[in-house]
Amino acid sequence: MQVNGILQKFLLEDAKKLCFIVFQQELRNPVTQMTGIYTIDDFSGSGLRHLQYCTLQNMLLLIHIAFDVMPTNILGIHVINGNFLLSLALALAKPFLSESIRKIIHVHSSPEGLLDYFPASVLPKKYGGTLNDYYDSGWHRKANEEHDIFPPGGQKNLF
C-alpha cells in the first residue's frame, strides 16, 4: 500500500479492519439482513508467503467472527483460483468444521464455475460474467449517508 509516496506493508491487522468495515456496512442494509451474504474469495496470487498468516489463532478468530459473532446468515462461500496450499488447509480444517459450514463452502476449479450459482449479470468479466464497471469510487460517501438511514442499533420502533 502506498501512502504519501511511501510504500508501506499492508499488514494482516489492516486487512482484518477493512473486512470488518465492509461487513459492518452490509449488516446495516435491511436487504442483507433478510437475505444473507454470499462471498466470493479469489486466491489468485496467494502462495507460501501468505502461509505465515495461517496460524491457528487467526483461523479460529476468522471462523468465530464469521459464524458466531456476526449477526448474519452466510449462505455460501465460493473459493476460486485456489492452489495446493488452500486445498491442504481445507482438507485439514474440514474435520473441525460443523456440517452446516462444510455445506456452504464451494471450491471451484475455474471462475466459470461461479455461473452455476450466480447470474452472469452480477459477476465481473474476469469471472465469466458480463459486469463491466463494478468499482464504485464513491462507496465511502454512500456508506456514510446510509449510516444515518441504517444505524447500528436499528431504526427506532415507532409503535
Side-chain angles (χ1 to χ4, degrees), residues 114-115 117-123 129:
L114 293 171
L115 292 171
Y117 295 89
F118 300 97
S121 61
V122 301
L123 291 174

Side-chain angles (χ1 to χ4, degrees), residues 1-151:
M1 176 164 59
Q2 191 161 352
V3 178
N4 295 332
I6 301 171
L7 188 62
Q8 295 181 345
K9 188 175 182 181
F10 188 70
L11 301 174
L12 178 64
E13 294 302 318
D14 297 331
K16 289 178 187 176
K17 291 175 189 174
L18 183 64
C19 288
F20 188 70
I21 289 169
V22 170
F23 278 118
Q24 283 292 80
Q25 186 61 34
E26 281 305 312
L27 288 175
R28 290 185 179 118
N29 187 340
V31 175
T32 304
Q33 292 173 11
M34 295 298 291
T35 60
I37 295 174
Y38 286 93
T39 65
I40 300 173
D41 301 311
D42 188 351
F43 285 88
S44 60
S46 63
L48 289 174
R49 67 185 180 278
H50 297 103
L51 198 56
Q52 65 182 336
Y53 301 115
C54 295
T55 63
L56 183 59
Q57 179 183 3
N58 285 338
M59 296 298 106
L60 288 174
L61 178 68
L62 179 67
I63 290 170
H64 177 64
I65 288 174
F67 296 104
D68 299 332
V69 175
M70 299 296 278
T72 187
N73 187 14
I74 298 177
L75 300 172
I77 300 172
H78 297 269
V79 178
I80 56 172
N81 297 325
N83 54 23
F84 73 98
L85 287 175
L86 179 66
S87 299
L88 178 65
L90 283 174
L92 292 173
K94 275 193 178 181
F96 302 106
L97 298 175
S98 68
E99 182 65 28
S100 61
I101 295 173
R102 282 189 295 233
K103 284 182 179 180
I104 64 172
I105 297 175
H106 306 280
V107 179
H108 302 282
S109 57
S110 69
E112 288 76 24
L114 293 171
L115 292 171
D116 295 336
Y117 295 89
F118 300 97
S121 61
V122 301
L123 291 174
K125 284 190 174 190
K126 70 179 183 177
Y127 299 141
T130 59
L131 189 60
N132 285 326
D133 186 24
Y134 57 90
Y135 176 73
D136 188 0
S137 61
W139 180 83
H140 66 283
R141 282 188 292 279
K142 289 179 187 173
N144 285 333
E145 291 170 4
E146 289 178 357
H147 183 76
D148 293 333
I149 300 170
F150 309 125

